[in-house]
């Protein structure tokens, strides 16, 4: 009597894998909708005003620091970076008047937001945030298979303190200045949230350097506050990917427990440190962006367009066509007209509050001139031009 041959390990594996390997994914992952970033055109000739990048280069010290870090032969690149970005943590702590153990550095502020969700969110620990707001928040929560509680703004963009306090969420993300409207919330109102909300409040301050006020000073009085910052906007380092959190030492310790050991590369650490140390350049850059922003706000006011009082490096305006009409279709028409002429802005049609608006990054004065001339042409163009 012959004994059937035992299938080899390889053939047994192939039997188990006879179906699509993606079917082995966790069920909640197959339902995910990934974050949709702004368009990044590769061709020449675009006036790119859609992703809130800085229109000016970073401090000259940045390129010098990167070249120095690489060295003549690039030998340093064979070595891992400082695992905690310690020199940068020390510099950030000094800059903000905090202790080193109250700073965590990440691969962009998105990395910090991801760490916060990883630590504090889940199926039984809901995450709260406002709508409209940064659209990455629900994506991060969905990756964690967590629950969301959302608080809708109305057109006034007043901070709904009582409704935030009433949520059952354990952590609440508040973007100030808000994206995409540019509205900043005063510290007095943020402090009301910190007192009323029993969980952790994350004030996402990606655009705070362009605002009149920020929440860093509230850290001394409120243990449940986390402030998140980035080098992408005001330091002109979006391509370097460095962000950080300021919080009490216990919160930072938890973020470090779930953080990748080498989450920020050597060159990014060197670049961010050089940018931070050149404060005169940083302050000059911020002043230039603010001046152009305020001039453009006046230009939209002269057009009679409703525009939120931005304290960011972008403007959220409601286009009005030649007949005085506003709405989603009008915003789409303006967006398409600009796009066809290689002026790229951002439109968010999926929410009732944002659908009639365009979000426009503050560019150089020359770029804003092109924007305004193109909008003038749109107003004069026949319908569907």
């Amino acid at each position: 009597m012959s004994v059937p041959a035992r299938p080899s390990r390889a053939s047994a594996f192939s039997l188990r894998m006879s179906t699509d390997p993606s079917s082995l994914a966790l069920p909640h992952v197959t339902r995910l909708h990934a974050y949709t970033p702004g368009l990044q055109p590769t061709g020449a000739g675009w006036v790119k005003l859609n992703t809130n990048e800085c229109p000016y280069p970073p401090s000259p010290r940045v390129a010098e620091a990167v070249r120095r870090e690489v060295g003549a032969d690039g030998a340093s690149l064979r070595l891992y970076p400082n695992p905690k970005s310690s020199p940068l943590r020390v510099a950030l702590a000094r800059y903000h008047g905090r202790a080193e153990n109250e700073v965590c550095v990440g691969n962009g502020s998105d990395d910090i937001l991801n760490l916060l969700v990883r630590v504090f969110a889940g199926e039984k620990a809901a995450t709260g945030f406002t709508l409209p707001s940064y659209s990455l928040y629900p994506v991060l929560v969905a990756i964690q298979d967590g629950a969301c509680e959302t608080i809708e703004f109305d057109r006034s963009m007043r901070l709904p303190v009582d409704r935030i306090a009433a949520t059952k969420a354990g952590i609440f993300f508040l973007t100030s200045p808000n994206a995409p409207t540019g509205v900043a919330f005063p510290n007095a109102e943020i402090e009301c949230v910190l007192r009323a909300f029993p969980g952790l409040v994350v004030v996402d301050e990606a655009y705070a350097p362009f605002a009149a006020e920020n929440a860093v000073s509230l850290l001394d009085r409120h243990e449940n506050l986390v402030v998140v910052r980035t080098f992408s906007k005001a330091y002109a380092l979006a391509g370097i990917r460095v962000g950080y959190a300021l919080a009490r030492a216990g919160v930072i310790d938890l973020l470090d427990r779930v953080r990748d050991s080498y989450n920020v590369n050597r060159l990014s650490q060197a670049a961010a440190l050089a940018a931070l140390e050149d404060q005169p350049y940083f302050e000059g850059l911020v002043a230039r962006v603010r001046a152009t922003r305020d001039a453009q706000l006046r230009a939209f006011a002269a057009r009679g367009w409703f525009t939120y009082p931005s304290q960011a490096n972008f403007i959220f305006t409601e286009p009005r066509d030649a007949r005085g009409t506003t709405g989603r279709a009008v915003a789409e028409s303006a967006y398409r007209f600009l796009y066809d002429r290689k002026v790229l802005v951002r439109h968010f049609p999926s929410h009732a509050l944002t659908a009639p608006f365009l979000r426009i990054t503050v560019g150089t004065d020359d770029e804003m001139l092109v924007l305004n001339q193109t909008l003038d042409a749109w107003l004069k163009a026949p319908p569907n031009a």
Side-chain angles (χ1 to χ4, degrees):
M1 179 178 177
S2 62
V3 179
R6 177 181 295 181
S8 68
R9 181 176 298 180
S11 60
F13 179 77
S14 63
L15 287 173
R16 293 200 307 269
M17 293 297 293
S18 59
T19 58
D20 181 358
S22 64
S23 66
L24 302 175
L26 298 174
H28 77 275
V29 175
T30 64
R31 299 190 296 269
L32 281 176
H33 295 283
Y35 173 72
T36 303
L39 294 176
Q40 296 286 350
T42 55
W46 286 91
V47 175
K48 190 171 182 297
L49 305 174
N50 69 322
T51 50
N52 302 340
E53 294 146 322
C54 183
Y56 305 109
S59 162
R61 295 187 189 181
V62 169
E64 294 171 10
V66 170
R67 284 193 292 267
R68 199 163 49 243
E69 187 67 27
V70 172
D73 60 359
S76 67
L77 299 182
R78 68 185 178 82
L79 302 173
Y80 285 111
N82 185 292
K84 294 182 68 174
S85 305
S86 295
L88 183 55
R89 287 199 194 203
V90 169
L92 286 166
R94 186 186 311 117
Y95 176 70
H96 288 291
R98 313 305 306 174
E100 181 185 350
N101 63 359
E102 294 177 323
V103 182
C104 181
V105 178
N107 180 30
S109 60
D110 290 351
D111 183 29
I112 296 293
L113 299 174
N114 185 39
L115 296 178
L116 286 162
V117 170
R118 194 179 296 173
V119 172
F120 294 101
E123 185 179 357
K124 296 181 179 178
T127 300
F129 48 87
T130 60
L131 288 178
S133 189
Y134 187 22
S135 56
L136 180 65
Y137 301 147
V139 175
L140 295 178
V141 176
I143 292 171
Q144 190 82 350
D145 199 17
C148 293
E149 287 200 32
T150 56
I151 301 294
E152 295 268 353
F153 281 115
D154 60 27
R155 192 176 169 98
S156 73
M157 284 299 296
R158 293 290 301 271
L159 190 61
V161 176
D162 292 340
R163 284 188 287 145
I164 293 173
T167 69
K168 304 299 182 184
I171 182 172
F172 196 93
F173 288 93
L174 178 65
T175 314
S176 183
N178 173 263
T181 64
V183 173
F185 305 111
N187 276 0
E189 294 183 14
I190 293 175
E191 197 153 24
C192 288
V193 173
L194 288 163
R195 292 194 186 105
F197 181 70
L200 198 69
V201 177
V202 179
V203 182
D204 188 349
E205 291 195 334
Y207 305 100
F210 305 102
E213 198 173 24
N214 65 74
V216 174
S217 63
L218 303 181
L219 286 163
D220 286 329
R221 297 196 295 274
H222 298 280
E223 294 185 357
N224 62 330
L225 172 62
V226 180
V227 175
V228 176
R229 291 284 187 94
T230 181
F231 281 84
S232 293
K233 314 300 182 183
Y235 286 97
L237 291 177
I240 285 292
R241 311 304 302 131
V242 178
Y244 59 97
L246 304 172
R248 293 297 177 92
V251 173
I252 297 299
D253 175 63
L254 291 170
L255 299 184
D256 276 330
R257 294 185 194 191
V258 301
R259 178 181 56 81
D260 178 69
S261 301
Y262 302 103
N263 63 328
V264 182
N265 71 67
R266 299 180 68 93
L267 304 186
S268 293
Q269 291 184 38
L273 186 58
L276 183 67
E277 290 175 342
D278 194 354
Q279 283 300 302
Y281 185 92
F282 164 77
E283 291 166 3
L285 189 154
V286 169
R288 292 176 74 183
V289 171
R290 282 176 169 175
T292 303
R293 175 196 68 194
D294 294 346
Q296 187 60 46
L297 287 170
R298 292 191 293 271
F300 283 138
R303 292 179 184 275
W305 292 9
F306 174 79
T307 306
Y308 282 102
S310 175
Q311 291 197 45
N313 69 334
F314 58 86
I315 295 170
F316 203 58
T317 191
E318 187 175 36
R320 185 177 295 275
D321 65 17
R323 296 172 297 178
T325 305
T326 61
R328 173 175 173 168
V330 173
E332 288 177 342
S333 170
Y335 173 87
R336 180 53 55 184
F337 191 92
L338 290 165
Y339 181 87
D340 289 344
R341 287 148 186 84
K342 305 193 84 169
V343 179
L344 192 55
V345 299
R346 197 83 190 264
H347 183 223
F348 300 94
S350 61
H351 191 278
L353 193 154
T354 62
F357 288 79
L358 297 178
R359 193 195 71 188
I360 301 170
T361 302
V362 176
T364 65
D365 290 338
D366 287 345
E367 287 174 329
M368 303 313 281
L369 178 62
V370 172
L371 168 77
N372 284 307
Q373 290 173 340
T374 311
L375 288 173
D376 288 341
W378 169 69
L379 288 169
K380 296 173 183 176
N384 303 316

